[in-house]
Amino acid sequence: MYPLSKKCIASTLTEQKWKILCQIKPDGNIKNESVDVVAVIDTSRSMKGEKLNNIKKGIQYLLNNLNQNDRLSLIQFNQVSKRLTPLIKMTQSGKDKILSALNKVNCEKITNTSSGLITASQVIHSRRYTSSKPCVMLFSDGANRAAISNC
């Protein structure tokens, strides 16, 4: 491992923008615990086009890295939230169901992030099988247009 000087880091960050995708995997000695992932997708008007396509690519990357004991649920939100899929085991059939639901997503209305996160919390708290580690992933451009409510 090579140490980086502050000068090197500062000049790199000011001259270019970097898109980085990291993949961290445990070594063979660590038991791979299953996870329950709730992906919360912003489908407001501001997400049309490239932003939504990038989210879809990110979900596909996630699917390729989940194992058969992991489960995934999709939630979309704009002005209101909607659960697109329940927690589904990531067998090939489960991945196909997720991709089918993902391909039907379109963008409309304003952003209400709290609605999507409240629905995600409900999915996590209503799980019948709780031996898996819960995880909520928010996919958004961060342009929230609605006031927080029901908190």
Side-chain angles (χ1 to χ4, degrees), residues 89-126:
K89 278 201 172 226
M90 290 294 94
T91 60
Q92 188 56 53
S93 172
K95 291 177 181 184
D96 291 343
K97 289 176 186 174
I98 294 292
L99 287 173
S100 176
L102 190 61
N103 287 330
K104 295 175 186 171
V105 168
N106 58 8
C107 297
E108 60 184 11
K109 302 181 183 174
I110 63 172
T111 310
N112 183 356
T113 307
S114 63
S115 174
L117 293 175
I118 288 169
T119 302
S121 176
Q122 291 168 344
V123 170
I124 294 295
H125 291 294
S126 66

Side-chain angles (χ1 to χ4, degrees), residues 51-76:
K51 290 178 186 179
L52 184 60
N53 288 334
N54 286 338
I55 286 176
K56 288 180 178 183
K57 288 176 188 175
I59 298 287
Q60 289 173 345
Y61 180 83
L62 178 63
L63 289 175
N64 291 332
N65 286 281
L66 292 174
N67 68 46
Q68 291 189 358
N69 293 321
D70 298 327
R71 298 187 299 171
L72 177 66
S73 175
L74 290 181
I75 294 172
Q76 75 173 28

Side-chain angles (χ1 to χ4, degrees), residues 23-91:
Q23 183 177 24
I24 301 171
K25 291 193 172 193
D27 64 21
N29 297 327
I30 298 174
K31 182 183 171 193
N32 190 10
E33 294 188 46
S34 59
V35 293
D36 285 342
V37 180
V38 181
V40 184
I41 304 168
D42 181 349
T43 57
S44 63
R45 282 188 298 255
S46 67
M47 295 299 294
K48 278 188 179 180
E50 185 180 0
K51 290 178 186 179
L52 184 60
N53 288 334
N54 286 338
I55 286 176
K56 288 180 178 183
K57 288 176 188 175
I59 298 287
Q60 289 173 345
Y61 180 83
L62 178 63
L63 289 175
N64 291 332
N65 286 281
L66 292 174
N67 68 46
Q68 291 189 358
N69 293 321
D70 298 327
R71 298 187 299 171
L72 177 66
S73 175
L74 290 181
I75 294 172
Q76 75 173 28
F77 71 95
N78 43 56
Q79 192 167 353
V80 296
S81 63
K82 179 181 178 184
R83 184 174 170 179
L84 300 175
T85 66
L87 283 166
I88 299 173
K89 278 201 172 226
M90 290 294 94
T91 60

Side-chain angles (χ1 to χ4, degrees), residues 15 19 104 111 128 146:
E15 292 175 12
K19 291 183 179 180
K104 295 175 186 171
T111 310
R128 289 187 312 183

Side-chain angles (χ1 to χ4, degrees), residues 11 21 107 110 148:
S11 65
L21 179 61
C107 297
I110 63 172
I148 295 175

